[in-house]
Amino acid sequence: MGFIYQLLKKIVANRHLIYSLAKDDFKLRFAGSGLGAVWGFIQPLVTILLYWFVFQVGFRSGNARGEVPYVLWLIVGIVPWFFFNEAWNGSMNCLYEYSFLVKKVLFDIEILPIVKILSSLFVHLFFIDIIFILFASYGYYISLYNIQLIYYLLCELVFVYALALITSSIAAFIKDTVLFVGILLQIFFWTIPIVWSPDSMSGLVISILKLNPVYYLVEGFRDTFVNKVWFWEKPGDMLYFWIFISVLLYVGIWMYKRLNKYFADLL
């Protein structure tokens, strides 16, 4: 666990720089457009409305779980997906985008994926607020279960960071990595219960799909808002998630340290 401790020390030591870079990154993504950063919120909103219309109105899916309207069930599952998709996609090219920092001898490049992830987190927190507002409009108000959002946010951040370390280091050598991950994300979207209910699948299929840690995150958000289940009530899923993520994190940090001497020449 020593490598995690060292990483946390670097994050704390560079916290002001990380926040400043993340704010600038968020602004630069929409620089030159008329609405500016507003576009970061418009696209996910339109996507939610589109899926709601297709599955609720078009396919007449009805209620996905118990008494909860489909639109509520959908938004709780799709919001963590938006963050995962955007944060992972955005962080893969962090070494290229911040090549001027990578080439600095004393700069801790392990913090660069965090900059991109934090930039995506700004929009994510906005949509979490939208979840609360939408639930309240349907008569479902804040409950004690909602406090475990802190836990699932931590899960999201650590998972995406571990993936970002691995894929950004590979992308420095193989540019096709970004395209491959794009295809992988499409597969992920349709093989986890975001727009469809896991009740519609057999137990064996669900057991296989649960091997994807994104499944744990999506179901975790639904347990927080819809199912009213505490995260420790699923100890097996929690243990698998953290073992899997710990291995990814260790591999990612090891790759950065091993390949660090080559990055400056490649960028």
Side-chain angles (χ1 to χ4, degrees), residues 23 49 62 65-66 72 78 92 95 98 155 206 214 247 255:
K23 281 200 307 181
L49 291 173
R65 281 289 187 88
L72 299 183
I78 207 169
M92 275 187 292
L95 295 179
Y98 293 98
C155 291
I206 292 299
V214 186
V247 172
M255 290 178 68

Side-chain angles (χ1 to χ4, degrees), residues 9-77:
K9 282 182 62 177
K10 292 179 181 179
I11 293 173
V12 172
N14 294 281
R15 61 188 183 280
H16 298 300
L17 175 62
I18 292 172
Y19 182 69
S20 177
L21 289 173
K23 281 200 307 181
D24 291 341
D25 180 86
F26 182 73
K27 293 175 183 176
L28 286 172
R29 274 192 288 163
F30 309 100
S33 61
L35 294 177
V38 176
W39 284 112
F41 306 95
I42 291 177
Q43 185 175 357
L45 278 173
V46 171
T47 304
I48 290 171
L49 291 173
L50 178 62
Y51 281 118
W52 170 80
F53 179 80
V54 170
F55 287 93
Q56 174 77 16
V57 180
F59 292 164
R60 301 184 183 279
S61 300
N63 290 343
R65 281 289 187 88
E67 300 300 320
V68 179
Y70 180 79
V71 65
L72 299 183
W73 187 88
L74 172 65
I75 193 173
V76 171

Side-chain angles (χ1 to χ4, degrees), residues 166-256:
I166 294 172
T167 52
S168 62
S169 59
I170 296 175
F173 293 87
I174 307 172
K175 293 184 179 180
D176 289 352
T177 304
V178 178
L179 299 175
F180 172 77
V181 170
I183 295 173
L184 196 61
L185 284 168
Q186 292 183 46
I187 296 173
F188 278 6
F189 180 82
W190 293 108
T191 54
I192 52 179
I194 296 175
V195 297
W196 53 269
S197 172
D199 295 339
S200 62
M201 296 286 183
S202 68
L204 176 61
V205 173
I206 292 299
S207 296
I208 295 172
L209 296 181
K210 277 186 176 182
L211 295 176
N212 183 346
V214 186
Y215 191 109
Y216 180 74
L217 298 176
V218 170
E219 283 298 285
F221 266 64
R222 290 209 171 109
D223 286 342
T224 300
F225 287 95
V226 178
N227 303 327
K228 309 298 183 184
V229 176
W230 292 108
F231 66 88
W232 58 76
E233 294 183 53
K234 297 181 177 180
D237 294 344
M238 181 173 66
L239 182 62
Y240 168 76
F241 177 85
W242 284 109
I243 290 175
F244 189 92
I245 300 315
S246 296
V247 172
L248 282 182
L249 189 58
Y250 177 82
V251 172
I253 294 175
W254 177 84
M255 290 178 68
Y256 256 55

Side-chain angles (χ1 to χ4, degrees), residues 138-151:
Y138 275 85
Y140 300 92
Y141 299 103
I142 294 175
S143 72
L144 187 60
Y145 288 94
N146 298 149
I147 198 172
Q148 67 184 358
L149 266 179
I150 299 171
Y151 166 75

